[in-house]
Amino acid sequence: MNKIEFYSNKKKAFLLLIGSLIFVILGVYLFLNAENMTGFRARNPVLIKIAGIASVLFFGLGIYVSIKQLIKNKLMLIIDENGINVNPQKNEYIKWSDIEGFAELKINSVKIIIIQINNAEEYIEKESNKLRKKLMKFNLENYGSPYNISVATMNTNYNQLFKILNENLIKYKYIA
């Protein structure tokens, strides 16, 4: 049984932690010093306080996520003879027989792999989580597939993963 597993990247999680800490500190500073920062662009201290609170909340979530990834090495993706498991926590496989191919999407210099499947509606209907189902529909309408893979938080790079996916598609497509 040939199984390839990809885990979260601790280096990227550490960089996320550092960046989030900086923005949380900046948010606290904005909140505490809003009255002293009224200048040309920001005349209202209430807007500066709101920006500080938003920064603390958003990047506070980034701190939580990065610490969680640093503590536990999270399994992100499994590739084996059954297909691609895009959500190992739920054992959510996309069968090789349902995969038509892979495409590249580039958003602001971030490369994303689109998994092109021939029965997207079936996979969307199987999803029980309402939020995830809406995201899958959004992806289908905008990118032609409910599934995509970003290597931003994985312990691999885009070219390596794209090559592995295509090799395994050729190897297993007509066996499954």
Side-chain angles (χ1 to χ4, degrees):
M1 184 164 131
N2 188 15
K3 183 190 256 188
I4 304 167
E5 296 178 340
F6 294 95
Y7 290 88
S8 58
N9 188 328
K10 299 230 183 237
K11 181 180 175 186
K12 291 177 184 176
F14 181 72
L15 291 174
L16 174 64
L17 176 64
I18 298 299
S20 294
L21 281 170
I22 290 169
F23 278 97
V24 165
I25 291 167
L26 180 66
V28 170
Y29 179 78
L30 285 174
F31 182 78
L32 295 176
N33 297 306
E35 287 78 22
N36 301 332
M37 298 187 138
T38 54
F40 174 71
R41 294 194 184 260
R43 297 184 192 276
N44 191 346
V46 174
L47 291 177
I48 296 173
K49 284 189 177 201
I50 290 172
I53 291 170
S55 177
V56 169
L57 292 175
F58 182 75
F59 291 104
L61 180 65
I63 291 172
Y64 170 76
V65 169
S66 62
I67 289 174
K68 192 173 173 185
Q69 286 183 352
L70 283 170
I71 292 172
K72 186 176 181 191
N73 206 9
K74 183 180 176 189
L75 182 59
M76 306 287 280
L77 184 74
I78 300 173
I79 301 170
D80 62 19
E81 70 273 354
N82 298 320
I84 303 169
N85 189 340
V86 292
N87 190 357
Q89 286 72 31
K90 287 180 62 179
N91 205 21
E92 187 175 324
Y93 270 95
I94 304 171
K95 298 176 193 165
W96 289 116
S97 58
D98 294 337
I99 299 173
E100 294 177 355
F102 304 99
E104 175 184 310
L105 173 67
K106 199 171 186 180
I107 302 174
N108 295 333
S109 76
V110 175
K111 292 181 181 178
I112 298 171
I113 299 170
I114 304 293
I115 304 172
Q116 299 167 325
I117 58 176
N118 53 25
N119 54 351
E121 292 297 330
E122 288 179 32
Y123 281 95
I124 292 173
E125 290 306 314
K126 281 190 230 176
E127 182 57 51
S128 58
N129 183 315
K130 289 182 182 180
L131 177 63
R132 189 164 154 89
K133 187 181 264 193
K134 283 189 179 200
L135 287 171
M136 290 172 78
K137 285 180 182 178
F138 175 83
N139 283 339
L140 180 62
E141 292 168 6
N142 291 290
Y143 307 117
S145 174
Y147 293 106
N148 56 53
I149 304 170
S150 172
V151 297
T153 59
M154 288 189 206
N155 62 348
T156 186
N157 65 46
Y158 172 85
N159 293 328
Q160 180 184 11
L161 181 59
F162 198 77
K163 180 181 175 201
I164 290 169
L165 288 169
N166 280 307
E167 287 173 352
N168 282 281
L169 178 63
I170 292 166
K171 186 177 179 180
Y172 296 118
K173 170 92 172 156
Y174 300 105
I175 295 173

